[in-house]
Amino acid sequence: MSDGDCAADAAAHRRVRSRVRPADLPATGAWREGMPPGGRRFADLGALHLEAGGRLPHVRLAYETWGTLSPARDNAVLVLHALTGDAHVTGAPGAGHLTPGWWSSIVGPGLAIDTDRWFVVAPNVLGGCQGSTGPSSPAPDGTPWGSRFPTITVRDQVAAEIELMDQLGLDRWAHVIGASMGGHRVLEWGVTAAERVHSLTVIASAAQTSADQIAWAHPQLAAIRLDPAFRGGDYYGAAPGQGPHTGLALARQIAHTTYRSADELETRFGRLPQHAEDPMLGGRFAVQSYLDHHGAKLATRFDANSYLVLTQTMLTHDLGRDRGGVEAALSQITADVLVIAVDTDRLFLPEQSERIAAGAPNAGPVRYVRSRHGHDGFLVEHEQVSRHVAGFLAHVARRLDR
Ligand SMILES: CC(=O)SCCNC(=O)CCNC(=O)[C@H](O)C(C)(C)COP(=O)(O)OP(=O)(O)OC[C@H]1O[C@@H](n2cnc3c(N)ncnc32)[C@H](O)[C@@H]1OP(=O)(O)O
Ligand SMILES: N[C@@H](CCO)C(=O)O
């Protein structure tokens, strides 16, 4: 079994995947200066001592790169994915393959994060299942960590990313950008390694997880843990397709509802039945079918233990922990900061973005994406996100004299 395999428990699902996923991309050795971009690479980072205690004896991060590092090494941009994202941000030409990524409309030649200009690096997060060390990776005894995977935090994830940066030979990111869970890490970079980041963009995120967000996550965690196929987290030896897919799909259904706005669901689906199904006779409404679809789809591409571990890092996310509170922590950020919120986001409320902008000394006013889609607006509203990010990066380039 390879490190961080999202489908470790679901070989059967490989047959239904409709397109090539990052796990199928060519794996190459670590990136070295002067190398062309292309494919997924791995960085072996050694042991990591964890914030909550304990250690991971061997940490590996999978990552992809696009563009070329400038001779002055001043054009490196770090892109940090959200909960179920991965290192495959874009399939821009020149990246060695043309499979679209989750931000293909934002990152690429001539796009907002212009890979003709910036050297872009995107790691799969620690705890994930797309090549980086996570619960499906082998523990020292050679079997998957499963239930034994230690508690990790956003700070541990960033500590691993700092190790990656060192291994790549980079001193300072020109820019670090991420949304949602990616935004947690962006902010943590800004505090933990203030001197190593020139500028930040944090999208649809928060400096501290709210009670409401913890509440929404609570039944998601329970849905996975209560699936009999979860087996306390040690399900990797199960027959193909016998993993905790039901629990994971249910968790995604709960989450997906929070990723979209009530208004959108009403406008798109209203009370329409799903095709010929009759809700009066036990059939589904269209919105139920929509959630079934998204739940089932995630279960084909993600590992339930990673979902738990990463969700837990979001729950414990608190930029102010042991730093005198959120405002004291935000005040330590020296980077220029762009904060973007989605006006209809009912999970990461615009107030949470306003708090970041008010607290980070070099943040401008919050820029709003106007969308009917809610939290997922950062993945859907490409033009608006591009406009805000491109404008800010032009400012960053001027400040760097690039
Ligand atoms: C950084 C990251 O976050 S990376 C991870 C991003 N990707 C995901 O999160 C995957 C989950 N998908 C999503 O969250 C969203 O689809 C997004 C954000 C990627 C795109 O949003 P939208 O373009 O608005 O897509 P939408 O939410 O309408 O979903 C479309 C899907 O629902 C399906 N669908 C729509 N109506 C119904 C229905 N009544 N019954 C069943 N399925 C339905 C469509 O067929 C389509 O399926 P497909 O994605 O398999 O092609
Ligand atoms: N669709 C996003 C939402 C979380 O921000 C994801 O799955 O990562």
Side-chain angles (χ1 to χ4, degrees):
M1 181 177 303
S2 65
D3 259 335
D5 183 355
C6 291
D9 65 321
H13 284 134
R14 292 179 202 279
R15 289 195 290 273
V16 300
R17 286 188 301 198
S18 57
R19 65 187 177 93
V20 178
R21 297 295 313 168
D24 304 317
L25 295 175
T28 52
W31 178 87
R32 292 279 175 271
E33 197 165 356
M35 271 189 178
R40 188 169 60 156
R41 301 182 187 283
F42 296 96
D44 288 307
L45 306 172
L48 186 69
H49 293 271
L50 303 170
E51 187 188 1
R55 71 196 263 278
L56 279 167
H58 167 77
V59 166
R60 165 178 278 200
L61 289 189
Y63 64 100
E64 292 190 43
T65 71
W66 300 265
T68 306
L69 184 62
S70 63
R73 311 169 85 77
D74 62 352
N75 69 334
V77 171
L78 180 68
V79 179
L80 300 174
H81 67 75
L83 177 61
T84 68
D86 50 50
H88 193 51
V89 174
T90 180
H97 51 80
L98 295 173
T99 313
W102 54 267
W103 240 9
S104 281
S105 311
I106 309 279
V107 180
L111 298 180
I113 301 177
D114 185 350
T115 50
D116 288 338
R117 181 172 204 174
W118 303 103
F119 172 65
V120 177
V121 179
N124 179 217
V125 71
L126 177 69
C129 57
Q130 293 280 13
S132 291
T133 296
S136 57
S137 307
D141 68 1
T143 64
W145 282 99
S147 64
R148 301 170 296 165
F149 195 75
T151 299
I152 61 169
T153 66
V154 169
R155 294 185 192 182
D156 297 324
Q157 293 167 333
V158 170
E161 288 161 7
I162 291 171
E163 292 289 326
L164 171 65
M165 181 185 199
D166 289 342
Q167 198 172 100
L168 295 176
L170 301 172
D171 294 329
R172 201 176 193 212
W173 299 110
H175 192 62
V176 180
I177 182 169
S180 194
M181 189 187 83
H184 294 168
R185 309 208 293 297
V186 171
L187 289 170
E188 190 55 43
W189 265 98
V191 175
T192 295
E195 72 293 348
R196 302 191 73 176
V197 292
H198 177 80
S199 64
L200 309 173
T201 291
V202 53
I203 308 173
S205 196
Q208 183 185 58
T209 302
S210 68
D212 186 58
Q213 289 161 337
I214 296 169
W216 278 113
H218 184 60
Q220 297 177 43
L221 302 180
I224 294 171
R225 290 186 178 127
L226 292 176
D227 183 336
F230 181 61
R231 301 181 191 190
D234 296 313
Y235 51 82
Y236 295 111
Q242 298 300 306
H245 311 304
T246 307
L248 178 59
L250 189 49
R252 182 62 160 191
Q253 289 190 32
I254 299 166
H256 194 81
T257 307
T258 70
Y259 298 157
R260 315 301 288 212
S261 75
D263 180 56
E264 178 196 5
L265 296 182
E266 190 61 37
T267 311
R268 283 181 68 178
F269 302 108
R271 298 183 52 76
L272 285 176
Q274 177 64 14
H275 299 311
E277 296 185 37
D278 184 350
M280 295 297 282
L281 297 174
R284 297 171 303 171
F285 287 97
V287 68
Q288 292 175 294
S289 166
Y290 171 71
L291 291 180
D292 282 344
H293 176 79
H294 276 290
K297 198 170 171 186
L298 185 79
T300 67
R301 71 171 180 89
F302 213 76
D303 176 54
N305 271 325
S306 273
Y307 194 94
L308 288 180
V309 164
L310 297 182
T311 300
Q312 202 64 38
T313 69
M314 294 178 75
L315 298 194
T316 59
H317 168 62
D318 177 3
L319 199 68
R321 182 171 56 245
D322 301 329
R323 291 172 174 153
V326 167
E327 273 61 39
L330 285 169
S331 74
Q332 295 175 34
I333 297 176
T334 52
D336 288 349
V337 181
L338 170 64
V339 185
I340 301 176
V342 183
D343 60 352
T344 53
D345 195 332
R346 59 170 154 174
L347 183 60
F348 285 82
L349 300 181
E351 295 94 282
Q352 293 177 296
S353 291
E354 295 286 352
R355 186 179 188 187
I356 298 166
N362 300 318
V366 176
R367 301 295 172 188
Y368 278 89
V369 168
R370 311 281 170 197
S371 175
R372 68 174 186 146
H373 296 293
H375 182 63
D376 266 352
F378 79 87
L379 292 165
V380 179
E381 305 290 357
H382 305 133
E383 283 181 22
Q384 292 184 63
V385 173
S386 289
R387 199 166 59 244
H388 294 309
V389 171
F392 189 61
L393 281 180
H395 156 81
V396 170
R398 280 194 299 276
R399 294 257 292 168
L400 288 168
D401 205 16
R402 294 204 78 252

